[in-house]
Amino acid sequence: MLLKASPAFSILSPPQKEVLNHLFSSGSSVNSNLRFSSAKNGTGVVVCASKGAHNSSLTGVVFAPFEEVKKELDLVPTVPQVSLARHKFTDECEAAINEQINVEYNVSYVYHAMFAYFDRDNVALKGLAKFFKESSLEEREHAEKLMEYQNKRGGKVKLQSILMPLTEFDHAEKGDALYAMELALSLEKLTNEKLFNLHKVAARNNDVQLADFVESQFLAEQVEAIKKISEYVAQLRRVGKGHGVWHFDQMLLHEEEVVA
Protein backbone atom coordinates (compact mmCIF):
# COMPACT_ATOMS: atom_id res chain seq x y z
CA MET A 1 0.00 0.00 0.00
CA LEU A 2 1.43 3.38 -0.98
CA LEU A 3 0.93 6.49 1.08
CA LYS A 4 2.05 9.89 -0.17
CA ALA A 5 3.25 12.52 2.26
CA SER A 6 1.07 15.59 2.76
CA PRO A 7 2.48 19.08 2.07
CA ALA A 8 3.64 19.32 5.67
CA PHE A 9 6.14 16.50 5.01
CA SER A 10 7.02 17.68 1.52
CA ILE A 11 8.78 20.84 2.73
CA LEU A 12 11.24 18.93 4.92
CA SER A 13 14.91 19.20 4.08
CA PRO A 14 16.96 16.04 3.39
CA PRO A 15 18.52 16.00 6.88
CA GLN A 16 15.05 16.26 8.39
CA LYS A 17 13.89 13.34 6.26
CA GLU A 18 16.80 11.27 7.58
CA VAL A 19 15.68 12.11 11.10
CA LEU A 20 12.15 10.95 10.24
CA ASN A 21 13.50 7.72 8.78
CA HIS A 22 15.43 7.15 11.96
CA LEU A 23 12.43 7.87 14.15
CA PHE A 24 10.06 5.72 12.15
CA SER A 25 12.50 2.84 11.82
CA SER A 26 13.37 2.44 15.48
CA GLY A 27 10.45 3.96 17.36
CA SER A 28 7.16 2.41 18.36
CA SER A 29 5.71 -0.82 17.06
CA VAL A 30 3.31 1.22 14.93
CA ASN A 31 6.07 3.11 13.19
CA SER A 32 8.19 0.01 12.66
CA ASN A 33 5.77 -0.86 9.90
CA LEU A 34 6.50 2.33 7.95
CA ARG A 35 9.41 3.10 5.61
CA PHE A 36 10.24 6.52 4.11
CA SER A 37 11.92 7.13 0.75
CA SER A 38 12.32 10.08 -1.60
CA ALA A 39 9.60 10.69 -4.19
CA LYS A 40 10.41 10.26 -7.90
CA ASN A 41 10.23 13.98 -8.57
CA GLY A 42 12.72 14.72 -5.79
CA THR A 43 10.21 16.58 -3.64
CA GLY A 44 8.49 15.12 -0.63
CA VAL A 45 8.67 11.58 0.63
CA VAL A 46 6.78 8.35 0.05
CA VAL A 47 5.68 6.25 3.00
CA CYS A 48 5.36 2.50 2.51
CA ALA A 49 3.24 0.53 4.98
CA SER A 50 4.21 -3.11 5.42
CA LYS A 51 1.76 -5.99 5.56
CA GLY A 52 1.91 -6.19 9.34
CA ALA A 53 0.68 -2.64 9.88
CA HIS A 54 -2.33 -2.41 12.17
CA ASN A 55 -5.17 0.06 12.42
CA SER A 56 -3.57 2.83 14.48
CA SER A 57 -4.21 6.22 12.94
CA LEU A 58 -1.50 7.83 10.79
CA THR A 59 -1.19 11.59 10.46
CA GLY A 60 0.47 13.65 7.76
CA VAL A 61 -0.03 11.12 4.97
CA VAL A 62 -2.71 10.64 2.30
CA PHE A 63 -3.58 7.75 0.01
CA ALA A 64 -2.19 7.80 -3.53
CA PRO A 65 -4.33 6.19 -6.28
CA PHE A 66 -3.66 2.49 -6.77
CA GLU A 67 -2.41 1.30 -10.12
CA GLU A 68 -5.66 -0.62 -10.67
CA VAL A 69 -7.67 2.56 -10.18
CA LYS A 70 -5.50 4.39 -12.68
CA LYS A 71 -6.37 1.76 -15.30
CA GLU A 72 -10.08 2.12 -14.57
CA LEU A 73 -9.85 5.89 -14.94
CA ASP A 74 -8.87 5.34 -18.56
CA LEU A 75 -12.22 3.55 -19.08
CA VAL A 76 -14.33 6.52 -17.95
CA PRO A 77 -15.83 8.01 -21.14
CA THR A 78 -15.54 11.70 -21.90
CA VAL A 79 -18.17 11.81 -24.66
CA PRO A 80 -21.48 13.18 -23.28
CA GLN A 81 -23.59 10.67 -25.24
CA VAL A 82 -21.89 7.66 -23.59
CA SER A 83 -23.05 6.34 -20.22
CA LEU A 84 -20.68 6.90 -17.31
CA ALA A 85 -22.20 4.04 -15.30
CA ARG A 86 -21.74 1.30 -17.92
CA HIS A 87 -19.25 -1.34 -16.81
CA LYS A 88 -18.91 -4.94 -18.03
CA PHE A 89 -22.36 -4.72 -19.66
CA THR A 90 -22.47 -6.24 -23.14
CA ASP A 91 -24.63 -5.23 -26.08
CA GLU A 92 -26.24 -8.68 -26.06
CA CYS A 93 -27.39 -8.25 -22.45
CA GLU A 94 -28.71 -4.79 -23.25
CA ALA A 95 -30.72 -6.11 -26.23
CA ALA A 96 -32.06 -9.06 -24.19
CA ILE A 97 -33.37 -6.73 -21.49
CA ASN A 98 -35.14 -4.60 -24.12
CA GLU A 99 -36.73 -7.75 -25.51
CA GLN A 100 -37.97 -8.76 -22.06
CA ILE A 101 -39.42 -5.28 -21.55
CA ASN A 102 -41.42 -5.80 -24.73
CA VAL A 103 -42.65 -9.20 -23.51
CA GLU A 104 -43.85 -7.72 -20.22
CA TYR A 105 -45.69 -4.88 -21.98
CA ASN A 106 -47.37 -7.26 -24.44
CA VAL A 107 -48.60 -9.52 -21.63
CA SER A 108 -49.80 -6.47 -19.71
CA TYR A 109 -51.73 -5.33 -22.79
CA VAL A 110 -53.50 -8.70 -23.11
CA TYR A 111 -54.45 -8.67 -19.42
CA HIS A 112 -55.80 -5.14 -19.83
CA ALA A 113 -57.99 -6.35 -22.71
CA MET A 114 -59.29 -9.15 -20.48
CA PHE A 115 -60.11 -6.62 -17.78
CA ALA A 116 -62.10 -4.56 -20.29
CA TYR A 117 -64.00 -7.66 -21.47
CA PHE A 118 -65.05 -8.92 -18.02
CA ASP A 119 -65.95 -5.37 -16.93
CA ARG A 120 -68.64 -5.10 -19.65
CA ASP A 121 -72.22 -4.69 -18.46
CA ASN A 122 -73.35 -7.80 -20.34
CA VAL A 123 -70.51 -9.93 -18.89
CA ALA A 124 -70.30 -8.39 -15.41
CA LEU A 125 -67.77 -10.70 -13.79
CA LYS A 126 -66.23 -8.11 -11.49
CA GLY A 127 -63.90 -10.53 -9.74
CA LEU A 128 -62.24 -11.60 -12.99
CA ALA A 129 -62.11 -7.98 -14.13
CA LYS A 130 -60.35 -7.05 -10.88
CA PHE A 131 -57.91 -9.97 -11.17
CA PHE A 132 -56.87 -9.16 -14.74
CA LYS A 133 -56.59 -5.44 -14.04
CA GLU A 134 -54.18 -6.16 -11.18
CA SER A 135 -52.30 -8.63 -13.37
CA SER A 136 -51.93 -6.02 -16.11
CA LEU A 137 -50.56 -3.49 -13.62
CA GLU A 138 -48.12 -6.06 -12.23
CA GLU A 139 -46.69 -6.86 -15.67
CA ARG A 140 -46.28 -3.16 -16.42
CA GLU A 141 -44.43 -2.76 -13.12
CA HIS A 142 -42.13 -5.59 -14.21
CA ALA A 143 -41.42 -3.73 -17.45
CA GLU A 144 -40.64 -0.54 -15.54
CA LYS A 145 -38.37 -2.44 -13.17
CA LEU A 146 -36.42 -3.75 -16.16
CA MET A 147 -36.25 -0.24 -17.62
CA GLU A 148 -34.82 1.12 -14.37
CA TYR A 149 -32.24 -1.67 -14.30
CA GLN A 150 -31.31 -1.00 -17.92
CA ASN A 151 -30.61 2.63 -17.06
CA LYS A 152 -28.75 1.63 -13.91
CA ARG A 153 -26.33 -0.52 -15.93
CA GLY A 154 -25.79 2.20 -18.53
CA GLY A 155 -27.89 0.69 -21.30
CA LYS A 156 -30.50 2.41 -23.46
CA VAL A 157 -34.18 1.50 -23.25
CA LYS A 158 -35.64 0.92 -26.71
CA LEU A 159 -39.38 0.31 -26.65
CA GLN A 160 -40.74 -1.88 -29.42
CA SER A 161 -44.17 -2.39 -30.97
CA ILE A 162 -46.98 -3.94 -28.95
CA LEU A 163 -49.35 -6.36 -30.71
CA MET A 164 -53.08 -5.72 -30.65
CA PRO A 165 -54.68 -8.26 -28.28
CA LEU A 166 -57.99 -10.09 -28.58
CA THR A 167 -61.13 -8.26 -27.52
CA GLU A 168 -63.48 -11.27 -27.29
CA PHE A 169 -62.79 -14.14 -24.90
CA ASP A 170 -65.97 -16.16 -25.03
CA HIS A 171 -65.52 -19.82 -26.01
CA ALA A 172 -68.30 -22.14 -27.13
CA GLU A 173 -67.06 -25.18 -25.17
CA LYS A 174 -65.03 -23.72 -22.29
CA GLY A 175 -66.82 -20.47 -21.62
CA ASP A 176 -65.12 -17.11 -21.23
CA ALA A 177 -63.79 -17.49 -17.67
CA LEU A 178 -61.96 -20.78 -18.25
CA TYR A 179 -60.72 -19.74 -21.69
CA ALA A 180 -59.29 -16.46 -20.36
CA MET A 181 -57.65 -18.16 -17.37
CA GLU A 182 -56.04 -20.83 -19.57
CA LEU A 183 -54.75 -18.06 -21.81
CA ALA A 184 -53.35 -16.29 -18.73
CA LEU A 185 -51.56 -19.50 -17.68
CA SER A 186 -49.97 -19.83 -21.12
CA LEU A 187 -48.82 -16.20 -20.95
CA GLU A 188 -47.22 -16.70 -17.53
CA LYS A 189 -45.36 -19.78 -18.80
CA LEU A 190 -44.23 -17.84 -21.86
CA THR A 191 -42.96 -15.02 -19.65
CA ASN A 192 -41.13 -17.55 -17.49
CA GLU A 193 -39.46 -19.07 -20.56
CA LYS A 194 -38.39 -15.61 -21.76
CA LEU A 195 -36.90 -14.88 -18.32
CA PHE A 196 -34.92 -18.13 -18.58
CA ASN A 197 -33.59 -16.94 -21.93
CA LEU A 198 -32.57 -13.62 -20.37
CA HIS A 199 -30.79 -15.49 -17.60
CA LYS A 200 -28.96 -17.64 -20.19
CA VAL A 201 -27.78 -14.50 -21.98
CA ALA A 202 -26.46 -13.15 -18.68
CA ALA A 203 -24.64 -16.42 -17.94
CA ARG A 204 -23.18 -16.60 -21.46
CA ASN A 205 -21.74 -13.10 -21.04
CA ASN A 206 -20.53 -13.76 -17.47
CA ASP A 207 -22.82 -10.99 -16.21
CA VAL A 208 -23.38 -12.19 -12.64
CA GLN A 209 -25.15 -8.96 -11.70
CA LEU A 210 -27.83 -9.39 -14.36
CA ALA A 211 -28.23 -13.06 -13.50
CA ASP A 212 -28.71 -12.19 -9.83
CA PHE A 213 -31.23 -9.47 -10.75
CA VAL A 214 -33.35 -11.91 -12.78
CA GLU A 215 -33.21 -14.58 -10.08
CA SER A 216 -34.00 -12.31 -7.15
CA GLN A 217 -36.64 -10.08 -8.76
CA PHE A 218 -38.54 -12.33 -11.18
CA LEU A 219 -38.06 -16.10 -11.17
CA ALA A 220 -39.45 -16.92 -7.72
CA GLU A 221 -42.44 -14.65 -8.26
CA GLN A 222 -43.09 -16.26 -11.64
CA VAL A 223 -43.26 -19.73 -10.09
CA GLU A 224 -45.84 -18.48 -7.58
CA ALA A 225 -47.94 -16.89 -10.34
CA ILE A 226 -47.94 -20.09 -12.44
CA LYS A 227 -48.99 -22.15 -9.40
CA LYS A 228 -51.86 -19.80 -8.49
CA ILE A 229 -53.28 -19.56 -12.02
CA SER A 230 -52.95 -23.34 -12.46
CA GLU A 231 -55.20 -23.77 -9.43
CA TYR A 232 -57.70 -21.30 -10.87
CA VAL A 233 -57.80 -23.26 -14.14
CA ALA A 234 -58.39 -26.51 -12.24
CA GLN A 235 -61.21 -24.94 -10.22
CA LEU A 236 -62.91 -23.48 -13.29
CA ARG A 237 -62.74 -26.85 -15.05
CA ARG A 238 -64.61 -28.36 -12.11
CA VAL A 239 -67.39 -25.77 -11.96
CA GLY A 240 -68.11 -25.72 -15.72
CA LYS A 241 -69.82 -22.78 -17.43
CA GLY A 242 -72.85 -22.34 -15.24
CA HIS A 243 -73.59 -20.96 -11.79
CA GLY A 244 -70.21 -22.07 -10.47
CA VAL A 245 -68.47 -19.38 -12.53
CA TRP A 246 -70.36 -16.71 -10.60
CA HIS A 247 -69.24 -18.22 -7.28
CA PHE A 248 -65.65 -18.37 -8.53
CA ASP A 249 -65.91 -14.73 -9.61
CA GLN A 250 -67.18 -13.74 -6.16
CA MET A 251 -64.25 -15.59 -4.60
CA LEU A 252 -61.82 -13.48 -6.67
CA LEU A 253 -63.72 -10.29 -5.89
CA HIS A 254 -63.59 -10.79 -2.12
CA GLU A 255 -60.31 -12.71 -1.94
CA GLU A 256 -58.47 -9.99 -0.02
CA GLU A 257 -61.30 -9.72 2.51
CA VAL A 258 -61.16 -13.48 3.17
CA VAL A 259 -57.38 -13.39 3.63
CA ALA A 260 -57.67 -10.43 6.01
Side-chain angles (χ1 to χ4, degrees), residues 147-171:
M147 293 167 74
E148 290 172 358
Y149 184 80
Q150 182 83 291
N151 287 333
K152 186 183 295 185
R153 292 296 303 274
K156 289 183 179 180
V157 174
K158 295 181 180 178
L159 298 179
Q160 303 169 24
S161 305
I162 299 178
L163 299 176
M164 185 180 73
L166 296 173
T167 56
E168 302 295 331
F169 297 94
D170 196 12
H171 192 278

PDB file of all heavy atoms in Angstrom, residues 147-171:
ATOM      1  N   MET A 147     -36.704  -1.504 -17.052  1.00  0.00           N
ATOM      2  CA  MET A 147     -36.245  -0.243 -17.621  1.00  0.00           C
ATOM      3  C   MET A 147     -35.317   0.481 -16.653  1.00  0.00           C
ATOM      4  O   MET A 147     -34.268   1.023 -17.045  1.00  0.00           O
ATOM      5  CB  MET A 147     -37.447   0.638 -17.969  1.00  0.00           C
ATOM      6  CG  MET A 147     -38.296   0.085 -19.104  1.00  0.00           C
ATOM      7  SD  MET A 147     -39.894   0.904 -19.274  1.00  0.00           S
ATOM      8  CE  MET A 147     -39.376   2.460 -19.992  1.00  0.00           C
ATOM      9  N   GLU A 148     -35.684   0.486 -15.381  1.00  0.00           N
ATOM     10  CA  GLU A 148     -34.822   1.116 -14.368  1.00  0.00           C
ATOM     11  C   GLU A 148     -33.477   0.412 -14.277  1.00  0.00           C
ATOM     12  O   GLU A 148     -32.432   1.060 -14.140  1.00  0.00           O
ATOM     13  CB  GLU A 148     -35.531   1.104 -13.018  1.00  0.00           C
ATOM     14  CG  GLU A 148     -36.727   2.033 -12.935  1.00  0.00           C
ATOM     15  CD  GLU A 148     -37.520   1.857 -11.650  1.00  0.00           C
ATOM     16  OE1 GLU A 148     -37.143   0.974 -10.848  1.00  0.00           O
ATOM     17  OE2 GLU A 148     -38.493   2.601 -11.448  1.00  0.00           O
ATOM     18  N   TYR A 149     -33.502  -0.927 -14.357  1.00  0.00           N
ATOM     19  CA  TYR A 149     -32.238  -1.672 -14.300  1.00  0.00           C
ATOM     20  C   TYR A 149     -31.390  -1.403 -15.537  1.00  0.00           C
ATOM     21  O   TYR A 149     -30.161  -1.284 -15.438  1.00  0.00           O
ATOM     22  CB  TYR A 149     -32.522  -3.169 -14.174  1.00  0.00           C
ATOM     23  CG  TYR A 149     -31.257  -3.991 -14.021  1.00  0.00           C
ATOM     24  CD1 TYR A 149     -30.625  -4.092 -12.793  1.00  0.00           C
ATOM     25  CD2 TYR A 149     -30.687  -4.638 -15.117  1.00  0.00           C
ATOM     26  CE1 TYR A 149     -29.465  -4.834 -12.645  1.00  0.00           C
ATOM     27  CE2 TYR A 149     -29.527  -5.377 -14.982  1.00  0.00           C
ATOM     28  CZ  TYR A 149     -28.921  -5.470 -13.748  1.00  0.00           C
ATOM     29  OH  TYR A 149     -27.755  -6.188 -13.613  1.00  0.00           O
ATOM     30  N   GLN A 150     -32.038  -1.312 -16.694  1.00  0.00           N
ATOM     31  CA  GLN A 150     -31.313  -0.998 -17.923  1.00  0.00           C
ATOM     32  C   GLN A 150     -30.568   0.332 -17.780  1.00  0.00           C
ATOM     33  O   GLN A 150     -29.384   0.437 -18.121  1.00  0.00           O
ATOM     34  CB  GLN A 150     -32.295  -0.935 -19.095  1.00  0.00           C
ATOM     35  CG  GLN A 150     -31.664  -0.652 -20.450  1.00  0.00           C
ATOM     36  CD  GLN A 150     -31.117  -1.896 -21.113  1.00  0.00           C
ATOM     37  OE1 GLN A 150     -30.123  -2.467 -20.647  1.00  0.00           O
ATOM     38  NE2 GLN A 150     -31.730  -2.310 -22.196  1.00  0.00           N
ATOM     39  N   ASN A 151     -31.243   1.328 -17.264  1.00  0.00           N
ATOM     40  CA  ASN A 151     -30.607   2.628 -17.063  1.00  0.00           C
ATOM     41  C   ASN A 151     -29.505   2.561 -16.008  1.00  0.00           C
ATOM     42  O   ASN A 151     -28.475   3.230 -16.123  1.00  0.00           O
ATOM     43  CB  ASN A 151     -31.650   3.672 -16.646  1.00  0.00           C
ATOM     44  CG  ASN A 151     -32.553   4.075 -17.792  1.00  0.00           C
ATOM     45  OD1 ASN A 151     -32.169   4.012 -18.955  1.00  0.00           O
ATOM     46  ND2 ASN A 151     -33.776   4.478 -17.475  1.00  0.00           N
ATOM     47  N   LYS A 152     -29.733   1.754 -14.982  1.00  0.00           N
ATOM     48  CA  LYS A 152     -28.747   1.628 -13.909  1.00  0.00           C
ATOM     49  C   LYS A 152     -27.430   1.044 -14.429  1.00  0.00           C
ATOM     50  O   LYS A 152     -26.348   1.455 -13.992  1.00  0.00           O
ATOM     51  CB  LYS A 152     -29.304   0.746 -12.788  1.00  0.00           C
ATOM     52  CG  LYS A 152     -28.421   0.650 -11.560  1.00  0.00           C
ATOM     53  CD  LYS A 152     -29.031  -0.297 -10.538  1.00  0.00           C
ATOM     54  CE  LYS A 152     -30.337   0.243 -10.007  1.00  0.00           C
ATOM     55  NZ  LYS A 152     -30.880  -0.622  -8.925  1.00  0.00           N
ATOM     56  N   ARG A 153     -27.520   0.111 -15.378  1.00  0.00           N
ATOM     57  CA  ARG A 153     -26.331  -0.517 -15.926  1.00  0.00           C
ATOM     58  C   ARG A 153     -25.717   0.288 -17.068  1.00  0.00           C
ATOM     59  O   ARG A 153     -24.673  -0.093 -17.604  1.00  0.00           O
ATOM     60  CB  ARG A 153     -26.661  -1.925 -16.426  1.00  0.00           C
ATOM     61  CG  ARG A 153     -27.014  -2.922 -15.338  1.00  0.00           C
ATOM     62  CD  ARG A 153     -25.856  -3.198 -14.378  1.00  0.00           C
ATOM     63  NE  ARG A 153     -24.685  -3.673 -15.060  1.00  0.00           N
ATOM     64  CZ  ARG A 153     -24.467  -4.947 -15.365  1.00  0.00           C
ATOM     65  NH1 ARG A 153     -25.372  -5.864 -15.056  1.00  0.00           N
ATOM     66  NH2 ARG A 153     -23.357  -5.313 -15.975  1.00  0.00           N
ATOM     67  N   GLY A 154     -26.347   1.379 -17.460  1.00  0.00           N
ATOM     68  CA  GLY A 154     -25.786   2.200 -18.527  1.00  0.00           C
ATOM     69  C   GLY A 154     -26.269   1.846 -19.909  1.00  0.00           C
ATOM     70  O   GLY A 154     -25.705   2.307 -20.910  1.00  0.00           O
ATOM     71  N   GLY A 155     -27.321   1.027 -20.007  1.00  0.00           N
ATOM     72  CA  GLY A 155     -27.890   0.693 -21.301  1.00  0.00           C
ATOM     73  C   GLY A 155     -28.927   1.721 -21.730  1.00  0.00           C
ATOM     74  O   GLY A 155     -29.244   2.659 -20.995  1.00  0.00           O
ATOM     75  N   LYS A 156     -29.470   1.523 -22.924  1.00  0.00           N
ATOM     76  CA  LYS A 156     -30.503   2.410 -23.457  1.00  0.00           C
ATOM     77  C   LYS A 156     -31.795   1.626 -23.655  1.00  0.00           C
ATOM     78  O   LYS A 156     -31.801   0.577 -24.301  1.00  0.00           O
ATOM     79  CB  LYS A 156     -30.069   3.031 -24.787  1.00  0.00           C
ATOM     80  CG  LYS A 156     -28.959   4.059 -24.645  1.00  0.00           C
ATOM     81  CD  LYS A 156     -28.630   4.693 -25.991  1.00  0.00           C
ATOM     82  CE  LYS A 156     -27.535   5.745 -25.854  1.00  0.00           C
ATOM     83  NZ  LYS A 156     -27.205   6.376 -27.155  1.00  0.00           N
ATOM     84  N   VAL A 157     -32.872   2.134 -23.078  1.00  0.00           N
ATOM     85  CA  VAL A 157     -34.177   1.497 -23.245  1.00  0.00           C
ATOM     86  C   VAL A 157     -34.716   1.811 -24.635  1.00  0.00           C
ATOM     87  O   VAL A 157     -34.806   2.975 -25.024  1.00  0.00           O
ATOM     88  CB  VAL A 157     -35.164   1.990 -22.170  1.00  0.00           C
ATOM     89  CG1 VAL A 157     -36.556   1.428 -22.435  1.00  0.00           C
ATOM     90  CG2 VAL A 157     -34.675   1.609 -20.780  1.00  0.00           C
ATOM     91  N   LYS A 158     -35.060   0.764 -25.371  1.00  0.00           N
ATOM     92  CA  LYS A 158     -35.637   0.921 -26.715  1.00  0.00           C
ATOM     93  C   LYS A 158     -36.959   0.172 -26.749  1.00  0.00           C
ATOM     94  O   LYS A 158     -36.994  -1.055 -26.857  1.00  0.00           O
ATOM     95  CB  LYS A 158     -34.674   0.381 -27.783  1.00  0.00           C
ATOM     96  CG  LYS A 158     -33.367   1.169 -27.868  1.00  0.00           C
ATOM     97  CD  LYS A 158     -32.452   0.622 -28.950  1.00  0.00           C
ATOM     98  CE  LYS A 158     -31.158   1.412 -29.034  1.00  0.00           C
ATOM     99  NZ  LYS A 158     -30.229   0.866 -30.070  1.00  0.00           N
ATOM    100  N   LEU A 159     -38.050   0.921 -26.645  1.00  0.00           N
ATOM    101  CA  LEU A 159     -39.377   0.305 -26.650  1.00  0.00           C
ATOM    102  C   LEU A 159     -39.754  -0.140 -28.059  1.00  0.00           C
ATOM    103  O   LEU A 159     -39.503   0.582 -29.021  1.00  0.00           O
ATOM    104  CB  LEU A 159     -40.413   1.291 -26.103  1.00  0.00           C
ATOM    105  CG  LEU A 159     -40.207   1.734 -24.654  1.00  0.00           C
ATOM    106  CD1 LEU A 159     -41.283   2.721 -24.241  1.00  0.00           C
ATOM    107  CD2 LEU A 159     -40.191   0.534 -23.714  1.00  0.00           C
ATOM    108  N   GLN A 160     -40.367  -1.312 -28.132  1.00  0.00           N
ATOM    109  CA  GLN A 160     -40.742  -1.884 -29.422  1.00  0.00           C
ATOM    110  C   GLN A 160     -42.263  -1.915 -29.562  1.00  0.00           C
ATOM    111  O   GLN A 160     -42.996  -1.531 -28.646  1.00  0.00           O
ATOM    112  CB  GLN A 160     -40.162  -3.297 -29.530  1.00  0.00           C
ATOM    113  CG  GLN A 160     -38.646  -3.341 -29.345  1.00  0.00           C
ATOM    114  CD  GLN A 160     -38.123  -4.750 -29.180  1.00  0.00           C
ATOM    115  OE1 GLN A 160     -38.742  -5.707 -29.615  1.00  0.00           O
ATOM    116  NE2 GLN A 160     -36.975  -4.885 -28.531  1.00  0.00           N
ATOM    117  N   SER A 161     -42.736  -2.360 -30.693  1.00  0.00           N
ATOM    118  CA  SER A 161     -44.172  -2.389 -30.967  1.00  0.00           C
ATOM    119  C   SER A 161     -44.879  -3.376 -30.053  1.00  0.00           C
ATOM    120  O   SER A 161     -44.325  -4.399 -29.655  1.00  0.00           O
ATOM    121  CB  SER A 161     -44.428  -2.786 -32.422  1.00  0.00           C
ATOM    122  OG  SER A 161     -43.740  -1.941 -33.307  1.00  0.00           O
ATOM    123  N   ILE A 162     -46.134  -3.057 -29.734  1.00  0.00           N
ATOM    124  CA  ILE A 162     -46.984  -3.944 -28.954  1.00  0.00           C
ATOM    125  C   ILE A 162     -48.103  -4.448 -29.857  1.00  0.00           C
ATOM    126  O   ILE A 162     -48.768  -3.664 -30.544  1.00  0.00           O
ATOM    127  CB  ILE A 162     -47.572  -3.215 -27.734  1.00  0.00           C
ATOM    128  CG1 ILE A 162     -46.439  -2.731 -26.815  1.00  0.00           C
ATOM    129  CG2 ILE A 162     -48.513  -4.129 -26.961  1.00  0.00           C
ATOM    130  CD1 ILE A 162     -46.934  -1.958 -25.614  1.00  0.00           C
ATOM    131  N   LEU A 163     -48.324  -5.760 -29.859  1.00  0.00           N
ATOM    132  CA  LEU A 163     -49.351  -6.356 -30.709  1.00  0.00           C
ATOM    133  C   LEU A 163     -50.748  -6.071 -30.162  1.00  0.00           C
ATOM    134  O   LEU A 163     -50.953  -5.999 -28.954  1.00  0.00           O
ATOM    135  CB  LEU A 163     -49.131  -7.864 -30.812  1.00  0.00           C
ATOM    136  CG  LEU A 163     -47.797  -8.321 -31.423  1.00  0.00           C
ATOM    137  CD1 LEU A 163     -47.694  -9.843 -31.370  1.00  0.00           C
ATOM    138  CD2 LEU A 163     -47.668  -7.831 -32.854  1.00  0.00           C
ATOM    139  N   MET A 164     -51.696  -5.932 -31.057  1.00  0.00           N
ATOM    140  CA  MET A 164     -53.078  -5.716 -30.647  1.00  0.00           C
ATOM    141  C   MET A 164     -53.652  -7.015 -30.098  1.00  0.00           C
ATOM    142  O   MET A 164     -53.629  -8.047 -30.773  1.00  0.00           O
ATOM    143  CB  MET A 164     -53.913  -5.230 -31.826  1.00  0.00           C
ATOM    144  CG  MET A 164     -55.337  -4.870 -31.438  1.00  0.00           C
ATOM    145  SD  MET A 164     -56.316  -4.297 -32.850  1.00  0.00           S
ATOM    146  CE  MET A 164     -56.569  -5.851 -33.722  1.00  0.00           C
ATOM    147  N   PRO A 165     -54.162  -7.016 -28.866  1.00  0.00           N
ATOM    148  CA  PRO A 165     -54.684  -8.257 -28.276  1.00  0.00           C
ATOM    149  C   PRO A 165     -56.107  -8.556 -28.727  1.00  0.00           C
ATOM    150  O   PRO A 165     -56.754  -7.749 -29.398  1.00  0.00           O
ATOM    151  CB  PRO A 165     -54.652  -7.937 -26.772  1.00  0.00           C
ATOM    152  CG  PRO A 165     -54.882  -6.461 -26.712  1.00  0.00           C
ATOM    153  CD  PRO A 165     -54.213  -5.883 -27.934  1.00  0.00           C
ATOM    154  N   LEU A 166     -56.588  -9.728 -28.332  1.00  0.00           N
ATOM    155  CA  LEU A 166     -57.986 -10.091 -28.576  1.00  0.00           C
ATOM    156  C   LEU A 166     -58.916  -9.172 -27.784  1.00  0.00           C
ATOM    157  O   LEU A 166     -58.518  -8.624 -26.746  1.00  0.00           O
ATOM    158  CB  LEU A 166     -58.229 -11.537 -28.152  1.00  0.00           C
ATOM    159  CG  LEU A 166     -57.482 -12.641 -28.918  1.00  0.00           C
ATOM    160  CD1 LEU A 166     -57.730 -13.986 -28.242  1.00  0.00           C
ATOM    161  CD2 LEU A 166     -57.905 -12.680 -30.379  1.00  0.00           C
ATOM    162  N   THR A 167     -60.126  -9.032 -28.254  1.00  0.00           N
ATOM    163  CA  THR A 167     -61.131  -8.256 -27.522  1.00  0.00           C
ATOM    164  C   THR A 167     -62.298  -9.131 -27.080  1.00  0.00           C
ATOM    165  O   THR A 167     -63.081  -8.727 -26.214  1.00  0.00           O
ATOM    166  CB  THR A 167     -61.668  -7.098 -28.386  1.00  0.00           C
ATOM    167  OG1 THR A 167     -62.194  -7.635 -29.614  1.00  0.00           O
ATOM    168  CG2 THR A 167     -60.564  -6.109 -28.700  1.00  0.00           C
ATOM    169  N   GLU A 168     -62.414 -10.333 -27.647  1.00  0.00           N
ATOM    170  CA  GLU A 168     -63.477 -11.268 -27.287  1.00  0.00           C
ATOM    171  C   GLU A 168     -62.853 -12.542 -26.719  1.00  0.00           C
ATOM    172  O   GLU A 168     -61.939 -13.106 -27.320  1.00  0.00           O
ATOM    173  CB  GLU A 168     -64.341 -11.608 -28.510  1.00  0.00           C
ATOM    174  CG  GLU A 168     -64.992 -10.405 -29.164  1.00  0.00           C
ATOM    175  CD  GLU A 168     -65.998  -9.714 -28.271  1.00  0.00           C
ATOM    176  OE1 GLU A 168     -66.615 -10.399 -27.421  1.00  0.00           O
ATOM    177  OE2 GLU A 168     -66.168  -8.487 -28.407  1.00  0.00           O
ATOM    178  N   PHE A 169     -63.371 -12.963 -25.563  1.00  0.00           N
ATOM    179  CA  PHE A 169     -62.792 -14.140 -24.901  1.00  0.00           C
ATOM    180  C   PHE A 169     -63.812 -15.231 -24.625  1.00  0.00           C
ATOM    181  O   PHE A 169     -63.529 -16.180 -23.878  1.00  0.00           O
ATOM    182  CB  PHE A 169     -62.121 -13.697 -23.588  1.00  0.00           C
ATOM    183  CG  PHE A 169     -60.969 -12.749 -23.806  1.00  0.00           C
ATOM    184  CD1 PHE A 169     -61.160 -11.370 -23.749  1.00  0.00           C
ATOM    185  CD2 PHE A 169     -59.706 -13.230 -24.113  1.00  0.00           C
ATOM    186  CE1 PHE A 169     -60.103 -10.494 -23.967  1.00  0.00           C
ATOM    187  CE2 PHE A 169     -58.643 -12.373 -24.328  1.00  0.00           C
ATOM    188  CZ  PHE A 169     -58.843 -10.996 -24.265  1.00  0.00           C
ATOM    189  N   ASP A 170     -64.974 -15.113 -25.207  1.00  0.00           N
ATOM    190  CA  ASP A 170     -65.971 -16.159 -25.033  1.00  0.00           C
ATOM    191  C   ASP A 170     -65.571 -17.386 -25.856  1.00  0.00           C
ATOM    192  O   ASP A 170     -65.000 -17.266 -26.940  1.00  0.00           O
ATOM    193  CB  ASP A 170     -67.350 -15.661 -25.463  1.00  0.00           C
ATOM    194  CG  ASP A 170     -68.451 -16.549 -24.944  1.00  0.00           C
ATOM    195  OD1 ASP A 170     -68.150 -17.397 -24.073  1.00  0.00           O
ATOM    196  OD2 ASP A 170     -69.597 -16.419 -25.409  1.00  0.00           O
ATOM    197  N   HIS A 171     -65.870 -18.570 -25.338  1.00  0.00           N
ATOM    198  CA  HIS A 171     -65.525 -19.823 -26.013  1.00  0.00           C
ATOM    199  C   HIS A 171     -66.725 -20.751 -25.931  1.00  0.00           C
ATOM    200  O   HIS A 171     -67.308 -20.943 -24.850  1.00  0.00           O
ATOM    201  CB  HIS A 171     -64.293 -20.456 -25.350  1.00  0.00           C
ATOM    202  CG  HIS A 171     -63.688 -21.568 -26.131  1.00  0.00           C
ATOM    203  ND1 HIS A 171     -64.174 -22.868 -26.093  1.00  0.00           N
ATOM    204  CD2 HIS A 171     -62.628 -21.588 -26.989  1.00  0.00           C
ATOM    205  CE1 HIS A 171     -63.436 -23.634 -26.873  1.00  0.00           C
ATOM    206  NE2 HIS A 171     -62.483 -22.889 -27.428  1.00  0.00           N
TER     207      HIS A 171
END
